[in-house]
């Protein structure tokens, strides 16, 4: 997620050919496959490898409200190595950090309670660029090692910054050819094949990489545009059948044009309604009515929001959160924006972060629990 990763105190947190070496013939020793997600799920990032102003929260102390817990973050040894490493926060930084054995026991306990525990890769500081087949294969093996060691349920892709961008000649999101895009798709498909149908896959892209693609895709027909614009679209599209949840970060975002042709800005229910409507309705890419990004089913979509004013730009009060949910799931409280449908099966909410929510007396999670009962 916009990762505020290892330390931007207030930030958000928050991303090929299938011949990657993985040893799919070896049954996974790892993932405990807990129950399916509830009809309405709450997803949160847990600051696991670092601390900031929100304080360190042990996994065992994570409130029961959280249905999916994303461990933030696994990061690469270098931007292009594909070698992902994960470790608990150093005791010098987090005096109350648990031992590795205690952490593993907490993973099992959460899973026994029906929760999903995922490793989140990337974040604000964890640039991942799978530029080569070797980096792709290393990504698969290193992520597998983390999943196996901790017995996790799957993977969250939180690639930000310059992790994903499109080559100048890569203009069709349905047939990508940029190596960092193709190799990421291949790597994730390999992981999915290795662990099977129970493998939980989520993504937390920023609006710049998704909804902005409605206006701008890559460098554009005449060049000069930011090559990162819309760069998540080919990844989401290629993996839509494997995807468990897409929760775009509706925060730390500039104004984005919606399907109504108007620009929408952070600060109220309107932004969340317009951005989510785009995912559930589909939208022309780079304004081309003949090249439409197909809608995602509501069961695969959650809305990403900051848990508090400290957590990232774009925080809204619980009343605005509920207006957005009312509009999208019931067709009420929509304000001036008119959606293209009503989706009672919208999966839920994601937030950066569990830690910032606890810092804010659990306001975000308590509101979610009260809303969905």
């Amino acid at each position: 997620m916009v990762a505020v990763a290892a330390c931007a105190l207030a930030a958000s947190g928050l991303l090929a050919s299938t011949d990657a070496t993985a040893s799919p013939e070896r049954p996974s020793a790892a993932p405990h496959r807990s129950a399916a997600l509830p009809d309405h799920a709450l997803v949160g990032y847990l600051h696991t490898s670092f601390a900031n102003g929100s304080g360190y929260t042990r996994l065992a102390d994570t409130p029961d409200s959280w249905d999916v817990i994303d461990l933030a973050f696994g990061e690469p040894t270098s931007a292009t190595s594909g070698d992902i490493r994960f470790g608990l926060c150093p005791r010098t930084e987090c005096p109350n950090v648990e031992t590795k054995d205690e952490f593993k026991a907490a993973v099992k306990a959460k899973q026994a309670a029906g929760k999903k525990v995922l490793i989140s890769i990337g974040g604000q500081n964890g640039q991942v660029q799978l530029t080569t087949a070797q980096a792709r294969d290393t990504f698969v093996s290193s992520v597998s090692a983390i999943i196996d060691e901790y017995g996790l349920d799957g993977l969250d892709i939180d690639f930000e910054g310059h992790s994903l961008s499109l080559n100048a000649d890569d203009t069709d999101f349905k047939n990508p050819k940029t190596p960092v895009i193709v190799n990421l798709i291949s790597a994730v498909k390999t992981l999915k094949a290795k662990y099977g149908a129970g493998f939980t896959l989520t993504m937390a892209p920023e609006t710049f990489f998704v909804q902005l693609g409605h206006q701008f895709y890559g460098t554009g027909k005449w060049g000069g545009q930011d090559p990162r614009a819309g760069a998540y679209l080919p990844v989401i599209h290629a993996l839509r059948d494997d995807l468990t949840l897409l929760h775009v970060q509706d925060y730390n975002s500039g104004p984005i044009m919606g399907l109504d042709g108007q620009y929408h800005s952070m600060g109220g229910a309107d932004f969340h309604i317009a951005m989510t409507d785009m995912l559930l309705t589909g939208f022309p890419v780079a304004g081309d009515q003949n090249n439409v990004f197909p809608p995602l089913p509501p069961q695969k979509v959650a809305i990403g929001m900051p848990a508090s004013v400290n957590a990232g730009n774009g925080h809204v009060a619980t009343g605005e959160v509920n207006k957005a949910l009312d509009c999208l799931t019931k067709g009420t409280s929509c304000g001036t924006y008119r959606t293209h449908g009503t989706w009672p099966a919208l999966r839920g909410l994601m937030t950066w972060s569990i830690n910032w929510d606890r810092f804010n007396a659990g306001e975000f999670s308590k509101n979610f629990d009260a809303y969905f009962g």
Side-chain angles (χ1 to χ4, degrees):
M1 298 167 308
V2 150
V4 174
C7 9
L9 193 136
S12 74
L14 291 170
L15 114 338
S17 39
T18 317
D19 55 347
T21 59
S23 69
E25 73 285 348
R26 178 178 65 83
S28 161
H32 169 112
R33 299 304 178 206
S34 49
L37 289 179
D39 290 342
H40 299 292
L42 182 61
V43 182
Y45 287 77
L46 184 67
H47 308 179
T48 310
S49 61
F50 66 96
N52 61 16
S54 64
Y56 184 82
T57 295
R58 293 161 68 102
L59 177 58
D61 296 332
T62 301
D64 290 338
S65 297
W66 303 97
D67 300 298
V68 180
I69 301 167
D70 291 322
L71 306 178
F73 291 103
E75 297 184 2
T77 55
S78 71
T80 58
S81 70
D83 188 2
I84 306 300
R85 303 296 176 90
F86 172 72
L88 299 180
C89 184
R91 190 167 296 277
T92 53
E93 187 178 349
C94 304
N96 60 324
V97 66
E98 61 267 69
T99 66
K100 185 181 284 191
D101 286 344
E102 289 171 335
F103 187 83
K104 291 178 180 179
V107 170
K108 290 181 179 179
K110 288 296 180 185
Q111 292 167 333
K115 313 301 183 182
K116 304 283 190 184
V117 186
L118 314 181
I119 178 64
S120 180
I121 306 297
Q124 179 174 281
N125 294 347
Q127 304 295 301
V128 182
Q129 299 167 348
L130 304 182
T131 56
T132 65
Q134 182 178 350
R136 175 200 65 197
D137 295 351
T138 301
F139 181 87
V140 170
S141 60
S142 60
V143 171
S144 296
I146 295 168
I147 291 172
D148 292 348
E149 179 175 6
Y150 292 93
L152 305 178
D153 292 288
L155 169 66
D156 172 68
I157 301 174
D158 183 18
F159 285 15
E160 302 181 12
H162 292 273
S163 291
L164 295 183
S165 62
L166 294 157
N167 289 351
D169 63 345
D170 198 344
T171 59
D172 182 4
F173 76 90
K174 297 174 183 175
N175 297 287
K177 44 190 179 179
T178 304
V180 294
I181 303 288
V182 174
N183 288 334
L184 176 60
I185 293 167
S186 174
V188 175
K189 282 188 173 292
T190 300
L191 287 165
K192 178 78 173 186
K194 175 178 181 179
Y195 291 111
F199 186 75
T200 301
L201 174 64
T202 63
M203 299 183 195
E206 297 160 286
T207 56
F208 192 95
F209 295 88
V210 184
Q211 287 94 336
L212 184 67
H214 175 40
Q215 278 186 280
F216 308 105
Y217 187 71
T219 58
K221 292 180 180 179
W222 297 280
Q225 295 175 186
D226 192 319
R228 299 172 298 166
Y232 247 98
L233 294 178
V235 179
I236 298 167
H237 186 67
L239 296 170
R240 61 174 56 230
D241 291 340
D242 302 305
L243 185 65
T244 306
L245 269 181
L246 175 71
H247 31 67
V248 175
Q249 301 174 41
D250 285 1
Y251 47 93
N252 293 344
S253 171
I256 302 289
M257 181 180 286
L259 293 176
D260 57 354
Q262 303 298 312
Y263 283 95
H264 298 268
S265 300
M266 300 183 301
D270 172 83
F271 189 68
H272 300 296
I273 293 166
M275 294 303 98
T276 307
D277 183 54
M278 293 178 76
L279 301 176
L280 298 172
T281 303
F283 55 87
V285 175
D288 185 351
Q289 298 292 336
N290 296 314
N291 191 29
V292 174
F293 179 78
L296 289 163
Q299 296 89 344
K300 292 193 175 194
V301 175
I303 309 172
M305 302 177 173
S308 73
V309 293
N310 305 96
N313 296 318
H315 173 261
V316 297
T318 54
E320 294 299 301
V321 174
N322 294 347
K323 283 181 185 178
L325 291 171
D326 284 345
C327 179
L328 293 162
T329 65
K330 302 173 184 175
T332 62
S333 305
C334 289
T336 59
Y337 185 88
R338 292 291 175 249
T339 64
H340 294 73
T342 302
W343 301 274
L346 179 73
R347 183 63 79 177
L349 300 179
M350 171 276 276
T351 195
W352 179 262
S353 63
I354 293 171
N355 303 64
W356 281 119
D357 184 51
R358 293 195 80 195
F359 185 84
N360 198 37
E363 180 183 77
F364 191 89
S365 56
K366 289 175 182 176
N367 182 65
F368 178 92
D369 291 342
Y371 187 90
F372 286 111

